[in-house]
Amino acid sequence: MDSNLLSNEQFIARLRHVGEEHYHDKHPYHIAMHEGKLSPVQLRAWIANRFYYQKNIPVKDAIILSKLPSREDRREWIQRIIDHDGRESNAGGIEAWIRLGEAAGIPRDEMLDERHVLPAVRFAVDAYVNFCRLEPWHIAVASSLTELFAPTLVSKRIGVFEQLYPWIRPEGLAYFQARLTQAPRDADHGLSIVLRECRDRGDQEQAIGALRFKCDVLWALLDALSLSFPVGDYGR
Ligand code: AHQ
């Protein structure tokens, strides 16, 4: 038994502290978005650049799926891919994000051809996919735990878009509505895997580091947008 091992309560507290310090809801671009201060150009840039992140989520989840050793975990994890890629009955999250772009005035082909994706956004997202490709599977799962912090943020965002950006057609918000149930489910499953599989202090610290890395991925995406579409002080 590793005497340095954190209890589950201590481990979860350390994970949550990473979000309290570094989650992208504290980034100036995100704060400006929630204060209704983004111009249509700035908000469309966020939508078009976040599309590159969204379309890569099922790619990284398929990489993780290929590494999960248990049928039970794979049966749960595969739902993440279906949520984004869709099925006959449900177009899925990637399609919903394209429709968010259309609802904000970005033509479908401009979302799909990635003409608006900034180099640093591409690099940050590709770094996330490669992290999941190269790291041990339970550490890759730990990097998805930013979803512990997402539901609060996404529920606020729906109200913000409805009230402060009424020029976005409401049907575009369907993606965020779906995440209100998908994200907590995914976070619960991801956390159960990380608590179960991190059996020594070294693994626990590596999982905490993975979550910090993922916060930096999301932060870097907004840094790139801030440099191309300045909204004021970038202080961190
Ligand atoms: O829409 C988001 C999403 O599908 C995911 C998957 C998850 C992961 O596996 O890394 N992370 C994530 C996130 C989504 N939306 C972000 C937002 O702010 O809208 C938050 C992001 C996350 O917190 O990791």
Side-chain angles (χ1 to χ4, degrees):
M1 175 73 171
D2 178 348
S3 59
N4 282 333
L5 194 67
L6 298 170
S7 68
N8 281 355
E9 293 70 26
Q10 291 169 321
F11 189 15
I12 292 170
R14 285 281 306 277
L15 291 166
R16 289 200 174 280
H17 184 65
V18 172
E20 288 152 18
E21 293 287 302
H22 304 290
Y23 193 50
H24 64 169
D25 60 340
K26 286 162 277 294
H27 192 288
Y29 204 94
H30 205 286
I31 291 168
M33 178 163 73
H34 276 219
E35 290 175 348
K37 292 178 180 170
L38 292 191
S39 68
V41 166
Q42 288 167 326
L43 197 59
R44 290 189 187 108
W46 179 80
I47 292 169
N49 277 273
R50 264 293 302 277
F51 180 63
Y52 188 71
Y53 174 82
Q54 298 300 144
K55 67 181 284 193
N56 277 283
I57 291 296
V59 173
K60 71 93 187 175
D61 282 334
I63 290 168
I64 293 174
L65 182 71
S66 72
K67 300 201 276 191
L68 291 177
S70 86
R71 178 176 55 160
E72 291 72 20
D73 280 334
R74 288 197 300 271
R75 283 169 66 145
E76 278 204 63
W77 199 268
I78 202 166
Q79 186 58 47
R80 294 166 180 248
I81 299 170
I82 295 166
D83 288 343
H84 283 84
D85 286 340
R87 274 276 192 276
E88 299 68 40
S89 56
N90 177 347
I94 290 174
E95 176 60 29
W97 198 277
I98 294 168
R99 292 175 187 171
L100 169 62
E102 291 179 306
I106 308 171
R108 174 176 286 264
D109 62 324
E110 289 190 23
M111 293 287 280
L112 291 171
D113 68 15
E114 300 178 8
R115 70 183 70 178
H116 300 299
V117 177
L118 297 166
V121 168
R122 188 178 298 280
F123 296 156
V125 173
D126 291 353
Y128 182 30
V129 175
N130 287 323
F131 181 91
C132 294
R133 194 188 317 280
L134 301 172
E135 290 297 318
W137 59 271
H138 58 298
I139 302 304
V141 168
S143 68
S144 73
L145 290 180
T146 40
E147 287 223 279
L148 290 167
F149 323 121
T152 311
L153 181 65
V154 171
S155 59
K156 278 183 204 161
R157 187 183 293 154
I158 293 168
V160 162
F161 277 35
E162 287 169 341
Q163 280 127 49
L164 303 179
Y165 301 100
W167 52 270
I168 297 176
R169 296 199 310 274
E171 62 269 21
L173 305 185
Y175 177 81
F176 301 123
Q177 296 289 355
R179 292 311 296 170
L180 293 176
T181 49
Q182 291 168 355
R185 178 207 65 203
D186 291 348
D188 288 347
H189 181 225
L191 185 59
S192 71
I193 289 177
V194 169
L195 294 177
R196 179 204 332 139
E197 295 300 327
C198 290
R199 299 195 191 101
D200 61 41
R201 183 62 178 273
D203 264 3
Q204 291 178 324
E205 293 300 337
Q206 214 182 338
I208 292 162
L211 187 54
R212 171 62 198 270
F213 162 79
K214 171 63 179 307
C215 285
D216 287 350
V217 167
L218 294 171
W219 196 276
L221 197 154
L222 296 177
D223 279 349
L225 286 163
S226 299
L227 283 174
S228 296
F229 305 93
V231 288
D233 178 24
Y234 317 121
R236 179 165 191 176

